[in-house]
Amino acid sequence: MAKLCEIDTADIPGGRGQLRLLQRNDEFSIRIAGKPGELMNTRLHGSEDALAELACARVREHENVRVLVGGLGMGFTLAAALATLGAEAEVVVAELVPGVVEWNRGPLGAAAGYPIRDSRCHILVEDVADVMARSEAGFDAIMLDVDNGPEGLTQRDNDRLYSARGLESIQRALRPDGVLAVWSAGMDPGFSERLKRAGLCVEEHMVRAHRPGKGARHTIWLAW
């Protein structure tokens, strides 16, 4: 089998490292320079799809539905949100790394069907926390796929999304009857309790990285 070969790199703003884009035929992988393993792969996106499907199914009947995706990644969560929502929906994507947006405009975007070309999609190259902070009652659903989940394994700054104060900001950014969906590489009982202490109803969903029913088990929280 051919090796995955690096085809580009992208700096993470704030001097917080570098992302690597690798390719093998029609397969792409994103990794963090200097760290083992990979962040994501175009062959394993079942849980990224589920993040959007679970959240958007709860709000797609809302009037003038508007949702926020934190983290563009390889575009699969965005694509699933667009597929689940209607023609009048608006999907805002906040992506911190400009290079990731450019990768999705190029060959990588084909894997998810180039969802950023959809007229319902609006890309913001900035921190999702900043978008939420200025968007009081702005979204019917907020979907967070930032880092590896609530533990913030890659960037400590991501902890501010999942702390008690971060959850307060998220709740202010949600509309009445809105829903928060959070992706995680693993289980985190402490985060479930944090959501409940914030006064939210919580569901935990175990989903597989690859469909149907294959690959690593990932966790998605729904909270409202």
Side-chain angles (χ1 to χ4, degrees), residues 9-63:
T9 61
D11 292 332
I12 302 172
R16 293 178 287 178
Q18 191 176 65
L19 297 179
R20 303 170 63 217
L21 179 65
L22 297 92
Q23 182 178 10
R24 174 172 55 210
N25 300 323
D26 61 351
E27 175 187 2
F28 291 87
S29 172
I30 295 179
R31 305 183 180 190
I32 299 175
K35 294 192 177 183
E38 62 183 1
L39 287 178
M40 56 199 81
N41 187 294
T42 51
R43 294 181 182 273
L44 303 169
H45 57 87
S47 59
E48 285 86 349
D49 297 344
L51 176 67
E53 292 165 355
L54 288 167
C56 293
R58 299 180 71 98
V59 302
R60 61 185 169 196
E61 301 302 325
H62 290 194
E63 187 175 354

Side-chain angles (χ1 to χ4, degrees), residues 172-196:
R172 287 194 296 270
L174 284 170
R175 293 172 174 172
D177 299 321
V179 62
L180 167 67
V182 177
W183 183 97
S184 176
M187 298 179 66
D188 186 343
F191 184 60
S192 298
E193 291 305 313
R194 206 177 310 150
L195 289 167
K196 293 173 184 176

Side-chain angles (χ1 to χ4, degrees), residues 131-195:
V131 175
M132 292 188 295
R134 66 167 187 269
S135 303
E136 186 169 351
F139 302 103
D140 295 278
I142 295 173
M143 293 156 272
L144 297 179
D145 183 0
V146 178
D147 208 322
N148 281 302
E151 292 186 357
L153 297 177
T154 307
Q155 302 293 340
R156 286 189 177 274
D157 287 352
N158 290 333
D159 288 346
R160 67 188 179 124
L161 287 173
Y162 306 116
S163 66
R165 182 173 295 180
L167 293 177
E168 289 176 3
S169 178
I170 290 169
Q171 288 175 281
R172 287 194 296 270
L174 284 170
R175 293 172 174 172
D177 299 321
V179 62
L180 167 67
V182 177
W183 183 97
S184 176
M187 298 179 66
D188 186 343
F191 184 60
S192 298
E193 291 305 313
R194 206 177 310 150
L195 289 167

